[in-house]
């Protein structure tokens, strides 16, 4: 027996138009009332998602078409948030694979599509942005077919429906040369080719795949009912990762309707629902029958590839800008994050104010740091470190990534040189429209700080994407940052006079009048060694009247760093101090004499 429900996840590479397509489907299905008005990116409601133009957290929405309910799950496209995709694919029976009509299948497309095919989900391919210049829809369709074949898709999966269109303009068609004026062909394809959610009879089972929080009812478990029927007010068993079984009671059940939720008395298998009233659950736990509980296989998530040290802010400026500054605040916030962010791991260290946080990449960790600073936390983080492993023979291995760079032809040589210096090996070089398409295998270590260098070398015209491939034998040392740091000697505001006089020593990260402290990294030295400078000194005044011969200070504007750039820039002996208003780099040992003593003992 089948339901009149279709559960689909939308998967694609970053910026191929997933969230825009969901917007258009929402608008087309007339979910909101006449008086409601919504801007674009309806589901990207988090300020960070809107600013960066990327989806970070998976979300679901439902639409009704021709008497069928379609649950749509919008997923992130960036490799660092792959944990979100792995988590929610368990909710779906099919996937809409969105591919850009010019760019074709990108590294991230391969990653998420591989996960969907392994789970046996039925794909529909949408070749998006066919209104773009230089688009090549037929080639892209062939490319996607080859990719599915290489990923081991079944005959049924390879027999996929392809639609062409433009999410932005709100149309889809089975032939890209025949433009329509609506999304009806896409909705028809979903109903005809995605299998209905199956109804499985028996004792109830539901796996918790995500969670929500309400100040009225506390934590809410979200998942898809796998078997049987969940009923309001019934007693259930909660089956945990360690094998323990907890008795719980369902207080309320909600199903997704449009952009909101509707309270119901019972939910049958195949439907996605939200359950409130159960406490102490984690993502991956199974909600099962009270008397005969049976556990579902837990969600498997790829391992983290990078870690960073998180510690409390102990700089001279601590507590001036944030409201959460103690180690207890930091500990509680980090462990709370692991409840919903499955790809993140937190480990306590031998110091009670210091924690090791493991994640999928720089962006994964920087989104956590940015979220915390906006919530009012002050913290310090160390240099990102890649995780090494030992294979069966005892050899040291490290994570290797596939790096794809699309760059104008005249800049390709510079990119190849920069990547080769970081132990990258080129595997593919081919023209793609006006651009050169380059593919490399490169150690994850080599990617730290690379984006900045590549964008500088290509005048900002390179498009870089990467995804984790596998662990391989350690590739040997990779050159880091060559230039040393300029370090402030004293605490106080820098003067224009001194900064002007020191400009031949390097570039500065602070402006005149900005408050700095002793031990803060205030610039980049032109030479490999660190240099401590005093920028607080003013000009000595005399009682002689100047005859206008004094040179006016001509100061180059300070170098601005984004959070990710600063994380990639710092050295092993430096911390990044992050507060709600500032990002500062500093030496771990603020006192110059201590640094010298430490350097001598290290030798």
């Amino acid at each position: 027996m089948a339901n009149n429900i279709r559960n689909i996840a939308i998967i694609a590479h970053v910026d191929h138009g997933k969230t825009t397509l969901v917007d258009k489907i929402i608008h087309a299905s007339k979910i909101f009332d006449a008086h409601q008005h919504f801007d674009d990116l309806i589901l990207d409601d988090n300020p960070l998602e809107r600013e960066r133009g990327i989806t970070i957290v998976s979300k679901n929405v439902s639409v009704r078409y021709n008497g069928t309910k379609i649950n749509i799950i919008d997923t992130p496209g960036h490799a660092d948030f792959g944990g979100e995709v792995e988590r929610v694919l368990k909710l779906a029976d099919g996937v809409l694979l969105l591919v850009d009509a010019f760019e074709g299948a990108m590294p991230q497309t391969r990653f998420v599509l591989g996960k969907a095919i392994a789970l046996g989900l039925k794909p529909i391919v949408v070749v998006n942005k066919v209104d773009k210049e230089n688009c090549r829809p037929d080639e892209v369709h062939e490319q996607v077919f080859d990719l599915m074949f290489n990923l081991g898709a079944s005959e049924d999966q390879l027999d996929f429906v392809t639609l062409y269109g433009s999410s932005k303009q709100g149309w889809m068609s089975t032939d890209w040369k025949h433009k329509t004026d609506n999304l009806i062909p896409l909705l028809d394809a979903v109903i005809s080719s995605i299998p209905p959610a199956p109804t499985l009879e028996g004792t109830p089972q539901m796996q918790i795949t995500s969670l929500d929080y309400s100040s009225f009812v506390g934590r809410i478990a979200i998942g898809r009912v796998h078997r049987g029927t969940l009923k309001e007010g019934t007693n259930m068993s909660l089956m945990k990762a360690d094998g323990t079984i907890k008795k719980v009671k369902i207080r309320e059940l909600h199903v997704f309707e449009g952009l909101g939720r509707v309270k119901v008395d019972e939910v049958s298998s195949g439907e996605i629902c939200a359950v409130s009233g159960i406490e102490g659950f984690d993502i991956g736990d199974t909600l099962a029958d009270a008397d005969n509980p049976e556990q579902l296989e837990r969600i498997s998530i790829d391992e983290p590839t990078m870690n960073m040290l998180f510690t409390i802010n102990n700089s001279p400026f601590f507590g001036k800008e944030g409201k959460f500054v103690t180690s207890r605040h930091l500990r509680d916030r980090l462990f709370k994050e692991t409840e919903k962010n499955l790809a993140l791991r937190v480990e306590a260290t031998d110091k009670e104010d210091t924690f090791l946080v493991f994640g999928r990449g720089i962006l994964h960790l920087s989104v956590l740091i940015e979220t915390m600073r906006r919530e009012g936390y002050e913290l310090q983080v160390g240099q990102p470190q890649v995780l090494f492993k030992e294979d069966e023979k005892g050899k040291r291995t490290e994570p290797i990534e596939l790096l794809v760079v699309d760059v104008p032809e005249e800049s390709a040589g510079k990119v190849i040189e920069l990547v080769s210096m970081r132990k990258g090996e080129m595997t593919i070089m081919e023209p793609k429209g006006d651009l050169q398409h380059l593919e490399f295998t490169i150690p994850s270590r080599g990617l730290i700080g690379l984006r900045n260098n590549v964008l500088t070398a290509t005048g900002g015209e390179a498009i870089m994407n990467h995804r984790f491939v596998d662990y391989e034998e350690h590739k040997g040392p990779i050159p880091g940052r060559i230039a040393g740091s300029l370090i402030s000697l004293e605490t106080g505001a820098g003067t224009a006079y001194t900064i002007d006089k020191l400009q031949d020593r390097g570039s500065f990260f602070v402006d005149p009048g900005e408050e700095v402290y002793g031990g803060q990294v205030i610039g980049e030295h032109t030479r490999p060694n660190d240099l401590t400078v005093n920028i607080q000194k003013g000009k000595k005044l005399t009682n002689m009247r100047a005859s206008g011969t004094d040179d006016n200070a001509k100061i180059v504007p300070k170098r601005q760093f984004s959070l990710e750039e600063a994380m990639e820039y710092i050295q092993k002996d430096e911390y990044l101090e992050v507060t709600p208003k500032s990002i500062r780099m500093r030496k771990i040992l603020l006192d110059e004499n201590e640094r010298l003593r430490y350097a001598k003992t290290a030798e």
Side-chain angles (χ1 to χ4, degrees):
M1 195 176 142
N3 283 314
N4 222 359
I5 295 172
R6 304 287 187 279
N7 296 318
I8 55 164
I10 298 195
I11 58 174
H13 187 76
V14 183
D15 213 22
H16 279 195
K18 294 181 298 298
T19 307
T20 308
L21 181 62
V22 176
D23 280 359
K24 293 296 186 227
I25 294 173
I26 290 171
H27 281 292
S29 57
K30 309 274 191 300
I31 283 176
F32 2 90
D33 301 330
H35 66 275
Q36 287 178 296
H37 172 73
F38 285 91
D39 297 323
D40 289 346
L41 307 179
I42 299 164
L43 290 190
D44 281 356
D45 50 3
N46 169 339
L48 257 181
E49 293 181 313
R50 285 182 167 271
E51 279 168 35
R52 291 168 182 249
I54 57 173
T55 301
I56 295 171
V57 183
S58 301
K59 307 169 195 72
N60 39 331
V61 61
S62 81
V63 298
R64 288 191 179 272
Y65 174 69
N66 280 358
T68 302
K69 181 177 180 181
I70 304 172
N71 284 317
I72 303 168
I73 305 143
D74 183 22
T75 64
H78 199 286
D80 284 21
F81 308 113
E84 286 287 310
V85 182
E86 291 158 311
R87 179 165 70 77
V88 296
L89 283 179
K90 283 271 186 118
L91 298 173
D93 296 301
V95 288
L96 277 187
L97 174 71
L98 228 70
V99 190
D100 186 298
F102 169 66
E103 291 186 356
M106 297 290 277
Q108 195 52 31
T109 318
R110 187 186 182 98
F111 172 81
V112 287
L113 183 60
K115 299 279 177 199
I117 282 174
L119 285 168
L121 303 180
K122 175 81 178 180
I124 290 179
V125 174
V126 178
V127 180
N128 192 22
K129 305 191 186 182
V130 295
D131 51 325
K132 250 181 161 180
E133 284 179 49
N134 301 339
C135 70
R136 40 194 193 108
D138 297 329
E139 270 180 64
V140 168
H141 176 258
E142 291 294 316
Q143 197 185 357
V144 172
F145 183 87
D146 293 344
L147 176 61
M148 285 202 197
F149 183 78
N150 292 338
L151 289 170
S154 67
E155 297 250 333
D156 180 48
Q157 287 172 322
L158 287 172
D159 183 24
F160 55 84
V161 175
T162 306
L163 290 148
Y164 303 88
S166 163
S167 308
K168 202 169 186 182
Q169 295 175 1
W171 67 271
M172 287 289 153
S173 168
T174 48
D175 180 353
W176 64 277
K177 295 177 185 130
H178 294 113
K179 184 177 172 180
T180 63
D181 57 0
N182 57 45
L183 295 171
I184 300 294
L186 174 63
L187 297 172
D188 286 338
V190 168
I191 288 175
S192 61
S193 72
I194 300 287
T199 302
L200 301 175
E201 297 296 333
T203 55
Q205 268 185 319
M206 179 186 106
Q207 185 161 50
I208 298 167
T209 49
S210 53
L211 58 89
D212 200 354
Y213 182 81
S214 148
S215 48
F216 298 109
V217 296
R219 293 170 78 217
I220 299 167
I222 297 171
R224 172 177 165 175
V225 183
H226 177 68
R227 189 178 70 195
T229 306
L230 295 187
K231 293 182 179 166
E232 192 179 38
T234 48
N235 292 319
M236 304 288 286
S237 299
L238 180 69
M239 308 184 77
K240 310 281 294 170
D242 57 6
T244 54
I245 298 176
K246 217 177 136 187
K247 295 298 176 195
V248 291
K249 186 176 182 177
I250 297 174
R251 189 189 303 157
E252 282 185 2
L253 287 168
H254 288 82
V255 291
F256 292 86
E257 278 295 339
L259 292 167
R261 294 181 197 157
V262 177
K263 188 173 178 301
V264 290
D265 296 332
E266 60 177 56
V267 182
S268 54
S269 69
E271 177 66 290
I272 297 171
C273 69
V275 184
S276 59
I278 55 177
E279 287 299 320
F281 64 84
D282 293 306
I283 291 175
D285 291 353
T286 303
L287 201 55
D289 187 56
D291 304 323
N292 305 310
E294 290 176 58
Q295 189 152 12
L296 288 163
E297 188 188 341
R298 288 190 78 80
I299 302 168
S300 63
I301 295 281
D302 286 356
E303 288 290 302
T305 55
M306 194 171 273
N307 72 9
M308 280 179 87
L309 197 72
F310 278 55
T311 182
I312 57 167
N313 185 10
N314 60 1
S315 82
F317 291 174
F318 105 100
K320 285 188 175 180
E321 296 171 0
K323 52 184 183 202
F324 304 118
V325 294
T326 66
S327 57
R328 182 179 60 82
H329 286 137
L330 183 64
R331 169 189 289 277
D332 293 351
R333 179 66 184 82
L334 289 176
F335 281 105
K336 187 174 173 231
E337 184 69 24
T338 59
E339 289 179 3
K340 60 178 190 294
N341 195 337
L342 282 201
L344 197 82
R345 274 208 337 257
V346 178
E347 284 180 11
T349 62
D350 49 1
K351 294 182 185 161
E352 58 188 39
D353 58 2
T354 306
F355 304 89
L356 270 180
V357 180
F358 297 81
R360 283 278 180 89
I362 294 275
L363 187 63
H364 187 202
L365 293 165
S366 77
V367 164
L368 168 64
I369 297 167
E370 182 64 45
T371 308
M372 287 173 68
R373 72 184 283 223
R374 290 183 184 204
E375 290 169 4
Y377 286 84
E378 282 194 15
L379 65 150
Q380 293 184 140
V381 294
Q383 187 189 38
Q385 302 291 333
V386 164
L387 300 179
F388 299 107
K389 287 183 179 176
E390 283 198 356
D391 62 11
E392 305 84 63
K393 296 173 186 165
K395 281 190 176 166
R396 197 181 194 204
T397 63
E398 65 174 328
I400 301 292
E401 309 225 6
L402 169 72
L403 170 68
V404 176
V405 187
D406 290 327
V407 66
E409 201 171 333
E410 60 275 12
S411 306
K414 295 176 192 164
V415 174
I416 294 166
E417 186 186 346
L418 282 168
V419 177
S420 304
M421 280 165 60
R422 290 163 172 265
K423 299 283 192 281
E425 292 172 19
M426 188 160 69
T427 53
I428 293 175
M429 180 177 184
E430 58 190 19
K432 181 168 156 186
D434 319 338
L435 302 174
Q436 223 29 43
H437 177 78
L438 311 171
E439 290 191 14
F440 305 89
T441 53
I442 183 172
S444 295
R445 288 179 297 145
L447 288 169
I448 298 175
L450 178 66
R451 183 178 297 273
N452 232 354
N453 297 354
V454 166
L455 290 176
T456 307
T458 60
E461 291 196 306
I463 301 164
M464 277 177 68
N465 293 290
H466 57 88
R467 72 175 177 89
F468 170 70
V469 179
D470 204 357
Y471 271 80
E472 287 180 19
E473 199 172 324
H474 191 261
K475 304 285 187 220
I478 290 177
R481 188 178 99 206
I482 299 159
S485 301
L486 292 176
I487 305 157
S488 175
L489 177 67
E490 293 179 9
T491 299
T495 64
Y497 171 77
T498 331
I499 291 178
D500 178 42
K501 294 284 177 259
L502 288 167
Q503 285 190 116
D504 57 339
R505 295 299 178 96
S507 54
F508 280 87
F509 308 155
V510 293
D511 279 331
E514 206 172 304
E515 287 284 333
V516 300
Y517 53 80
Q520 184 178 331
V521 175
I522 53 170
E524 182 181 283
H525 194 195
T526 46
R527 297 190 175 170
N529 60 311
D530 289 346
L531 181 68
T532 305
V533 293
N534 183 344
I535 60 165
Q536 284 83 7
K537 274 193 311 192
K539 185 184 173 194
K540 293 279 181 287
L541 299 176
T542 66
N543 59 359
M544 296 289 288
R545 215 155 157 205
S547 59
T549 53
D550 276 5
D551 290 337
N552 288 331
K554 294 186 183 72
I555 294 174
V556 179
K558 71 172 181 181
R559 252 173 86 179
Q560 296 275 13
F561 285 88
S562 70
L563 178 61
E564 282 101 47
E565 286 166 355
M567 286 161 66
E568 292 185 336
Y569 184 82
I570 55 175
Q571 302 276 45
K572 276 199 174 77
D573 63 340
E574 292 168 355
Y575 274 157
L576 189 64
E577 177 191 351
V578 183
T579 73
K581 293 181 185 166
S582 318
I583 296 174
R584 301 183 190 94
M585 296 178 228
R586 55 160 285 188
K587 288 290 175 187
I588 295 176
L589 301 172
L590 293 176
D591 184 74
E592 191 182 7
N593 296 325
E594 267 188 65
R595 286 200 297 277
L596 291 169
R597 273 202 301 277
Y598 181 78
K600 277 183 184 158
T601 52
E603 283 168 17

